[in-house]
Amino acid sequence: MVSVLVTGGAGFIGSHVVDLLVDQGYGVTVVDDLSHGFLEYVNPKAEFHKVDICNQSKLGDVFEKEKPSWVVHQAAHIDVRDSVKNPVHDARVNILGSINLLECCRKYDIKKIVFASTGGAIYGEPEHLPAKEDQPEAPLCPYGVSKLAFEKYLGMYHQLHDLDYASLRYANVYGPRQDPLGEAGVVAIFTQKILDQETPLIYGDGEQTRDFVYVKDVAKANLQALREKTRDKIFNIGTGIETSVNEIYGKLRDLAESDTRAVHDKPVKGEVRNISLDCGLAERELKWAPTTNLNLGLQETIKWFREK
Ligand SMILES: NC(=O)c1ccc[n+]([C@@H]2O[C@H](COP(=O)([O-])OP(=O)(O)OC[C@H]3O[C@@H](n4cnc5c(N)ncnc54)[C@H](O)[C@@H]3O)[C@@H](O)[C@H]2O)c1
């Protein structure tokens, strides 16, 4: 059985990746320090290790014991606004912790690593939308810089050590298990507020646009990135469709049949105004395209939050 080690596998996206891999018959090991993940999200068929990726020796012990062939790297400090306040912590996890992982990949002869990068925080304000992968990189926050820095490490490890990689630049991922208590994840935050009959806060005028992609589609992109023969590539993973924050709020309100009213606050520094991602490369080379339309994905999300 091919064995895959998934970092951040107790988190929102990572736990869906783990479920899909288990479902497809892979052996899965999860590494997560549970700083932002939940043990209850970890598939019971996966081996779980509560380990901080910044702890090189403990991470090495997991590789030694589980002997994975592939690595999917989802663990990260994910909060854009917090990265502005606390750039050292962001860099410690997203750069140094990730280099620890690369060192394990090198020592334990890993065949391929798939990395959860960002399309929302790397391109800055792109000249053309939807943005392609060759759009100049211009991160506006420490989180974007740390993700980009690690992509550069991946390129360098490929050159130096022949480690294959695929870096997936996700758009705004949403769906069941997203944390509504953090500052990232507008769909989860709005959904929880709407269901609790509280007043959601929209930063700025709400006309800023995002590319919303459903988490199970993102999990499939990770699977395809492992399966397809790509040696050293970066892929956008989104829908190519721009939706404004006001529109998302309106849709959630309608689908949940709620009469809550959002209030507006000042815009947040470090966040882009408009973004959507061209995913033609993933379609051609990973044989991947999103299949869940926004209304269906939002319905599934509301359903999960209601049941929770
Ligand atoms: N959610 C999005 O819209 C989005 C967009 C672009 C990129 N991403 C990337 O996707 C990945 C997954 O994001 P998510 O939304 O599922 O976030 P999440 O916080 O739910 O998942 C991250 C997981 O990593 C774990 N983790 C954090 N620091 C760790 C450490 N030092 N050692 C071990 N585990 C650690 C957390 O406990 C958590 O379970 C991240 O790399 C994130 O940067 C997410």
Side-chain angles (χ1 to χ4, degrees), residues 160-179:
L160 279 183
H161 306 299
D162 220 18
L163 173 64
D164 286 357
Y165 75 90
S167 181
L168 305 184
R169 290 183 173 170
Y170 302 160
N172 271 61
V173 189
Y174 73 95
R177 300 185 190 149
Q178 191 164 26
D179 182 7

Side-chain angles (χ1 to χ4, degrees), residues 7-14 31-38 51-54 73-78 92-94 115-120 143 147 168-174 177-179 184-185:
T7 71
F12 162 49
I13 301 169
V31 167
D32 199 300
D33 68 352
L34 298 181
S35 56
H36 199 220
F38 297 91
V51 168
D52 180 346
I53 57 167
C54 297
H73 181 28
Q74 304 285 328
H77 172 249
I78 62 156
R92 192 178 69 85
V93 178
N94 293 359
F115 172 52
S117 186
T118 168
Y143 168 81
K147 287 284 175 181
L168 305 184
R169 290 183 173 170
Y170 302 160
N172 271 61
V173 189
Y174 73 95
R177 300 185 190 149
Q178 191 164 26
D179 182 7

